[in-house]
Amino acid sequence: QVQLAESGGGLVQAGGSLTLSCAASGLTFSSYVMGWFRQAPGKEREFVEAITWNGDTTNYGRSVMGRFTISRDNAKNTVYLHMINLKPEDTAVYFCAASPRRMSSRAGEYDYWGQGTQVTVSS
């Protein structure tokens, strides 16, 4: 059974930093594209960043403006999202997702999802 478990969310002051992690089990982690999405209250789910099995990343998530960095550790079956200079508009539930297919910013391309972790940025 495939499971993705996010952690690391919390309350942070604007300008601060957080690192989210997503631990995967039940899949061959190194063969999956891993992505991060977020959903703010009253907003649609938004793509943040993704990383391939070999470490290639994308800048599809324009809204983060280079402030976020995705990484993965295949030996630990874990993907990370390093967030710096956080802004109130970054407040959202952040979701980890896994896709056995190509790099994509489309939520529908991801087969597995975690339950999400809340990130709240105060002004």
Side-chain angles (χ1 to χ4, degrees):
Q1 182 176 354
V2 175
Q3 292 186 337
L4 304 179
E6 303 98 333
S7 62
L11 176 64
V12 64
Q13 189 174 351
S17 302
L18 282 175
T19 296
L20 308 181
S21 63
C22 172
S25 62
L27 53 74
T28 304
F29 183 77
S30 61
S31 67
Y32 279 75
V33 171
M34 301 298 299
W36 286 97
F37 293 77
R38 67 185 184 183
Q39 187 165 17
K43 301 293 183 64
E44 296 181 347
R45 185 164 47 184
E46 176 187 28
F47 174 78
V48 176
E49 191 57 276
I51 185 168
T52 69
W53 56 92
N54 61 178
D56 292 333
T57 61
T58 180
N59 64 346
Y60 292 162
R62 305 288 187 182
S63 62
V64 302
M65 298 295 292
R67 295 178 296 111
F68 295 3
T69 302
I70 191 170
S71 65
R72 68 190 295 163
D73 187 337
N74 289 339
K76 296 181 178 180
N77 290 352
T78 301
V79 63
Y80 305 91
L81 186 67
H82 310 276
M83 306 183 292
I84 64 171
N85 192 25
L86 285 160
K87 303 176 180 180
E89 53 262 42
D90 295 320
T91 295
V93 177
Y94 284 71
F95 297 93
C96 174
S99 172
R101 295 174 287 277
R102 63 183 178 179
M103 178 80 77
S104 178
S105 62
R106 300 178 180 179
E109 294 294 325
Y110 292 80
D111 292 347
Y112 305 105
W113 294 82
Q115 65 181 351
T117 185
Q118 176 71 45
V119 173
T120 302
V121 184
S122 62
S123 60

